[in-house]
Amino acid sequence: MSLKSRSAVVTGSTSGIGLACARALAGQGANVCLNGFGPPDDIESARAAIESEFGVRCIYNGADMTMPAEIAAMVSAAEAEFGGVDILINNAGVQFVSPIEDFPGEKWDQIIAINLSSAFHGIKAVTPGMKRRKWGRIINTASAHSLVASPFKAAYVAAKHGVVGLTKTVALELATFGVTANCISPGYVWTPLVERQIPDTMKARNMSREDVIEKVLLTAQPTKQFVTVDQVAAAAIFLCSDAASQITGTNISMDGGWTAA
Ligand code: NAD
C-alpha cells in the first residue's frame, strides 16, 4: 500500500504512539505534520529524520491542544503546505491519577480538553476538505479505558469513553463521503505517558514501582506484555488502506485481551 499522495496531521506526535504513527505514515509516503511539546532540538531532530529517512515533507506545528483556535490554525497551515489534510490522527493525550475526592477541577478540565475536545476541534477543521475530496481517514487514539474503567482515572476514562461517542457520530455523518472515523484502543503501551504515571500510582495505591508495573499495569493485560508503539502504528496504517474503507465507527482493541475479561 502507498500513501504517497496523502498528507497527515498527527497530534501529540513528538513522543510515543504519535511519533510512531507519524513515522509509519511517512514510511508509506505520506507528508506529515508533527505536533506536540518537547525540547525544540529533539523535535527538530525527529522532523528532520522523517524527511531524510522517508523522502517526504514533514512540518512541525506546536498547537496547544487545549486551544481550539490553535488546532484550527494548525489544520489550515497543513492544508496550505500540503494542499489538504487526508489523514487526521487525534492522539495527543495526558493522564492524571487521583482519588475522585481529591481530583483537581483544573486537571479534569485539562484532560477533557486535550483527550476529548481537541479531537472534536481537529475533526471539525479537517472535515470540509475531506468531504470535498471525498476521501479521509480520522483515527482517534482512545484506550482500553474507552471501554472499561480503572479507579483514580476519572477524567481520563470519561474523556476516552467520550472519544468513542464522537467517533461513532462522525463516522455516520461522513459515511457517504469516503471518510472513515475509527478508534484504536490500546491497553498499556510502554511510552513516557505510562512511565510518568507510575509515581502517582505508587502514591495513590501505596505500592512500590515494581508492584505498580506487575500488579496494576500488566495485571490488566492477560498476555502480560506491553503493547508496542509500532503495533499501534501498524493498525493506523491498515485503517488508512483501501482494505479498511468499510471499517468505520469502530473501536479496535489492541490490549492483550484486557477488555475480553
Ligand atoms: P506520550 O506522553 O508519549 O505522548 C503524548 C503526546 O501528546 C506528546 O507528544 C505530548 O507532547 C503531546 N501533548 C500533551 N499535551 C499536549 C497539548 N496540550 N497540546 C499538544 N500536544 C500535547 O504518550 P503516549 O502514551 O504516546 O499517548 C498517546 C495517546 O495514546 C494518548 O491519547 C493516550 O491517552 C493514548 N494511550 C496511551 C496508552 C499507553 O499505555 N501509553 C494506552 C492507551 C491509550
Side-chain angles (χ1 to χ4, degrees), residues 14-15 17 37 64-65 91 142 156 160 187 189 191 193-194 196:
T14 53
S15 169
I17 293 168
F37 300 150
D64 181 340
M65 291 298 114
N91 170 79
Y156 188 87
K160 295 299 188 183
V189 188
T191 69
L193 181 141
V194 166
R196 273 195 303 270

Side-chain angles (χ1 to χ4, degrees), residues 188 190 194 198 212-221 226:
Y188 281 104
W190 190 254
V194 166
I198 290 174
V212 168
I213 290 176
E214 269 177 45
K215 296 183 181 156
V216 180
L217 304 185
L218 291 182
T219 281
Q221 255 161 240
F226 285 100

Side-chain angles (χ1 to χ4, degrees), residues 90-253:
N90 290 303
N91 170 79
V94 291
Q95 176 63 279
F96 189 79
V97 178
S98 163
I100 188 74
E101 66 270 33
D102 301 326
F103 211 103
E106 62 274 16
K107 284 290 178 193
W108 168 273
D109 290 343
Q110 184 201 27
I111 290 175
I112 297 297
I114 297 171
N115 296 17
L116 173 58
S117 302
S118 73
F120 160 75
H121 296 296
I123 292 168
K124 186 176 168 183
V126 298
T127 290
M130 287 182 176
K131 277 174 97 167
R132 215 171 30 246
R133 289 188 302 279
K134 298 226 177 302
W135 198 92
R137 294 288 188 268
I138 296 164
I139 300 168
N140 300 319
T141 310
S143 164
H145 283 121
S146 73
L147 295 164
V148 295
S150 296
F152 313 121
K153 296 184 176 176
Y156 188 87
V157 171
K160 295 299 188 183
H161 276 64
V163 163
V164 175
L166 171 66
T167 305
K168 289 180 184 174
T169 307
V170 168
L172 295 181
E173 287 186 37
L174 302 181
T176 57
F177 292 92
V179 180
T180 68
N182 292 288
C183 292
I184 299 174
S185 280
Y188 281 104
V189 188
W190 190 254
T191 69
L193 181 141
V194 166
E195 220 169 335
R196 273 195 303 270
Q197 66 187 278
I198 290 174
D200 287 345
T201 309
M202 287 165 64
K203 214 162 43 180
R205 294 185 182 240
N206 196 20
M207 281 180 166
S208 69
R209 181 183 165 82
E210 292 65 36
D211 279 354
V212 168
I213 290 176
E214 269 177 45
K215 296 183 181 156
V216 180
L217 304 185
L218 291 182
T219 281
Q221 255 161 240
T223 57
K224 303 295 173 209
Q225 288 176 26
F226 285 100
V227 178
T228 70
V229 294
D230 290 334
Q231 289 170 334
V232 180
I237 295 298
F238 173 67
L239 286 173
C240 292
S241 70
D242 290 339
S245 67
Q246 293 302 313
I247 299 177
T248 194
T250 62
N251 185 7
I252 299 175
S253 288

